[in-house]
DNA sequence: CTGAAAGCGCTTACAG
DNA sequence: CTGAAAGCGCTTACAG
């Protein structure tokens, strides 16, 4: 296979300098460069004749940037379980990257399947391969993010991240307001004792939801009853546990995670209770598309696709220097389902 | 924000030449190069201290490799419809890339959402950013593949691709044998007149299936009746059309595409026929996981995940020079469903 | 065992 | 309007 022609070959053939070929190729016709139509034609003919193709690698090296956007996830980007966890984000990311003419660099090289990936490996930040990066998923520790900031590496997190003393860019869903709205929906359905069932993990999005829960109480002039707030594992949401809460007067549950919704459904069945006739149930998020059986649960949408595209947009603006590291928050939408109703008459308050 | 460190900075810091840094970085310790352990350590410490990451663009320009594997798809990699079309391939690709320590470069930069992407844009092959690439999806034309080969660019296609006079690497599912096996299954259930319903598009995988259909007849000593072979659009699979075939003695259908399975199901309902009591039905592939309603259809699995990981493995071996452009074919597995039964007594042959 | 040098194929000021 | 030159950040013979 014979070597492809270089810019030099084209220049020689057309009887001009390599610089001129480059100028013609890039349409750099503004400013103080002007190529005569004849020269232009001669160059184009030479290109055509030789079948010249500019080397993109050399191009980006000379140009300073490589038009690569990194995508880093702490877990496998394409998990086997939980297929569509990242998917909607990726749809948005690809969409916007395509629109802006960027290619996507997925950092898959380190971190075994099971274990979580880290940005710095042997003290090296491989993200630097790309002009900037989008970060997704649950980080183990904030240290890496701080290093990234200190390096001045441009990145945008998908989801709110709170790092004290540091300004970092993210695009997040407004879980706080969404939860407050969902709570208001329950209040409107006459519920007054609403249990909050969260997970044990403590992260920004969990805190935001709990904040929304408190905020909603405040807005109603109610106070939060700590007996009804639980941060527990799903396995602890047993029929017994649920029954206990019901006996204390709880008429509705809000659940951070869909596995808790499952547990509540099972508990209801065991206790011979009907949802929403006997108690109401809502989810603080939306069921992944793989879980069609949860479609009827009252919940709110997380604008994942939009979060993806907006994060790329923000990163692009940061790269252009048009924007500092800043934060974007997107609205969620309440999705009334079939799991909320006015509660039955409450027999007795303890 | 301060510029990232260059190789030169590391060299200066360690008190060595850039060449030495490069040698350490690439583990070029064989042959007549030998780096003293002390120097090595000094370099590594400098790298660590400065947080140095080699620029992949410069690396590939200089002739080294950058441990980037390209992934090119003709359509959006993350489609909104048809979510899981590419997904299983990507699972395998990511898995194997991670195992081999490669990052993945997704070529998203060109080609609008709707329209199909092309490898060469303005005559430029951007794939060259990566050491090699995996290609997925339905190409419009073979010209680009030929150019790629002529350039000597290393790539592996996922799915069989036939380019006359050219040896190209692919990892494919054995549709031919899978179809023949499925046909044998139908023959064993006493079917003798089995209609083949394919799509209008003519590509390798469609041809392979049809070949399998013919092969199965041959093995049984039967000949293919051309009245029962149709390459048509799904909309043409009307109740009328189906009824016509049944009246000609057809007792079973094999369908290339799941939309044809849908059309047959509808037709059966319209005609008041039951599947498989009145006629049998099988699909030449597997339903995407999003289509749970097709789970009971007799079909065969396409080992998509394995195709993904094997294609990366093959590409890797090609890059190492261990393997020429070669072809790998993977077995499919028959999945008997509930849509095949022994046909009712055939009343009359026309 | 390590350094100086050339080179990969472009782009972009800078002259003229 | 176009050319000569420097430079992007690496790697790889080639010396020594």
């Amino acid at each position: 296979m014979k070597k492809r022609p270089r810019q030099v070959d084209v220049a020689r053939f057309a009887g001009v300098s390599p610089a001129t070929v480059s100028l013609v190729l890039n349409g750099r016709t503004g400013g103080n460069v002007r190529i005569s139509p004849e020269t232009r034609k001669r160059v184009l003919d030479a290109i055509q004749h030789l079948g010249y193709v500019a080397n993109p690698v050399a191009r980006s090296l000379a140009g300073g940037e490589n038009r690569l956007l990194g995508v880093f996830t702490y877990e496998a980007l394409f998990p086997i379980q939980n297929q569509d966890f990242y998917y909607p984000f990726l749809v948005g990311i690809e969409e916007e990257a395509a629109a802006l003419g960027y290619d996507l660099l997925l950092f898959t090289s380190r971190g075994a399947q099971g274990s979580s990936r880290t940005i710095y490996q042997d003290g090296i930040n491989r993200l630097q391969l790309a002009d900037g990066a989008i970060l997704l998923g649950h980080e183990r520790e904030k240290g890496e993010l701080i290093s990234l900031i200190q390096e001045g590496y441009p990145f945008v997190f998908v989801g709110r991240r709170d790092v004290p003393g540091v300004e970092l860019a993210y695009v997040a869903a407004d879980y706080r307001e969404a939860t407050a709205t969902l709570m208001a929906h329950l209040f409107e359905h006459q519920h007054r004792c609403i249990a909050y069932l969260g997970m044990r993990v403590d992260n920004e999005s969990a805190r935001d939801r709990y904040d929304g829960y408190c905020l909603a109480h405040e807005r109603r002039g109610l106070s939060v009853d700590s007996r009804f707030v639980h941060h527990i594992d799903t396995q602890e949401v047993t029929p017994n546990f649920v029954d206990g809460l019901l006996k204390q007067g709880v008429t509705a549950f809000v659940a951070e995670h869909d596995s808790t919704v499952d547990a509540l459904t099972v508990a209801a069945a065991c206790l011979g209770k009907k949802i929403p006739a006997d108690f109401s149930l809502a989810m603080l998020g939306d069921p992944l598309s793989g879980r069609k059986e949860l479609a009827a649960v009252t919940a709110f949408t997380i604008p994942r696709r939009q979060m993806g595209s907006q994060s790329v947009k923000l990163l692009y603006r940061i790269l252009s220097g048009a924007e500092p590291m800043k934060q974007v928050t997107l609205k969620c939408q309440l999705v009334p389902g079939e799991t909320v109703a006015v509660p039955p008459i409450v027999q007795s308050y303890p």
Side-chain angles (χ1 to χ4, degrees), chain A:
Chain A
M1 67 210 184
K2 61 172 179 293
K3 244 178 46 181
R4 343 174 356 196
R6 309 301 173 196
Q7 196 180 65
V8 158
D9 302 318
V10 175
R12 216 155 12 217
F13 193 89
V16 298
S17 78
T20 304
V21 177
S22 172
L23 294 176
V24 168
L25 221 63
N26 294 297
R28 279 266 180 295
T29 188
N32 48 1
V33 274
R34 215 153 306 172
I35 310 284
S36 74
E38 297 79 44
T39 308
R40 209 182 122 72
K41 182 168 173 9
R42 223 153 5 103
V43 170
L44 290 177
D45 286 351
I47 288 175
Q48 177 98 14
H49 180 255
L50 298 174
Y52 169 70
V53 172
N55 179 336
V57 172
R59 258 187 159 171
S60 34
L61 181 57
E65 43 171 37
N66 55 23
R67 299 197 73 78
L68 254 37
L69 251 35
V71 176
F72 179 86
T73 57
Y74 287 92
E75 303 88 24
L77 187 54
F78 305 113
I80 301 167
Q81 256 105 55
N82 236 254
Q83 281 222 7
D84 33 31
F85 182 68
Y86 288 124
Y87 201 93
F89 294 125
L90 292 173
V91 172
I93 290 172
E94 178 182 19
E95 224 169 59
E96 193 59 35
L100 295 174
Y102 275 83
D103 289 315
L104 253 25
L105 184 45
L106 308 189
F107 294 100
T108 52
S109 60
R110 305 292 185 105
Q113 267 76 317
S115 77
S116 159
R117 291 177 181 147
T118 59
I119 296 175
Y120 290 87
Q121 222 104 22
D122 311 321
I124 292 178
N125 164 21
R126 197 165 150 86
L127 295 193
Q128 293 192 58
L129 286 181
D131 290 341
I134 304 292
L135 271 54
L136 292 157
H138 302 296
E139 79 281 7
R140 295 283 164 287
E141 41 120 6
K142 309 277 188 191
E144 296 197 321
L145 299 184
I146 295 174
S147 303
L148 239 34
I149 297 267
Q150 281 171 346
E151 267 186 44
Y153 184 81
F155 70 96
V156 173
F157 222 111
V158 177
R160 191 167 81 73
R161 288 301 179 278
D162 219 8
V163 183
V166 159
E167 197 74 351
L168 102 189
Y170 61 74
V171 173
D174 193 350
Y175 293 130
R176 187 163 175 268
E177 200 52 54
T179 300
T181 303
L182 190 60
M183 288 294 295
H185 179 72
L186 288 166
F187 284 139
E188 280 159 23
H189 281 79
Q190 316 297 334
H191 295 279
R192 288 300 172 271
C193 295
I194 305 170
Y196 184 98
L197 300 186
M199 311 296 281
R200 274 193 197 285
V201 290
D202 174 41
N203 57 33
E204 286 83 352
S205 60
R207 275 200 295 279
D208 287 348
R209 285 175 235 242
Y210 182 63
D211 282 355
Y213 176 80
C214 298
L215 177 65
H217 279 83
E218 214 172 283
R219 284 180 182 162
R220 275 268 161 180
L222 300 171
S223 60
V224 170
D225 187 331
S226 64
R227 291 177 305 158
F228 303 154
V229 176
H230 294 273
H231 291 274
I232 55 182
D233 288 334
T234 300
Q235 306 96 282
E236 301 178 68
V237 183
T238 58
N240 231 346
F241 172 81
V242 172
D243 197 36
L245 285 170
L246 292 173
K247 292 224 169 88
Q248 287 179 87
V250 165
T251 59
F253 295 82
V254 293
E256 267 180 19
H257 200 263
D258 60 358
S259 62
T260 305
V261 172
D262 295 335
L264 283 164
T265 310
V266 169
C270 289
L271 298 170
K273 305 266 185 192
K274 295 266 175 265
I275 299 173
D278 296 315
F279 66 84
S280 290
L281 170 58
M283 189 173 153
L284 302 177
D286 56 359
L288 295 175
S289 68
R291 306 225 39 207
K292 298 234 166 67
E293 65 278 22
L294 294 182
V297 177
T298 293
F300 56 77
T301 58
I302 299 170
R304 291 198 174 83
R305 181 171 160 201
Q306 209 192 337
M307 287 166 76
S309 61
Q310 289 295 316
S311 64
V312 171
K313 228 170 209 158
L314 175 57
L315 180 57
Y316 177 73
R317 304 185 66 194
I318 290 173
L319 290 176
S320 329
E323 204 88 68
M325 297 298 257
K326 73 163 204 176
Q327 295 83 38
V328 171
T329 304
L330 301 176
K331 266 202 150 47
C332 300
Q333 183 78 42
L334 178 68
V335 182
E338 300 162 10
T339 56
V340 171
V342 173
I345 296 126
V346 179
Q347 287 97 7
S348 64
Y349 263 79

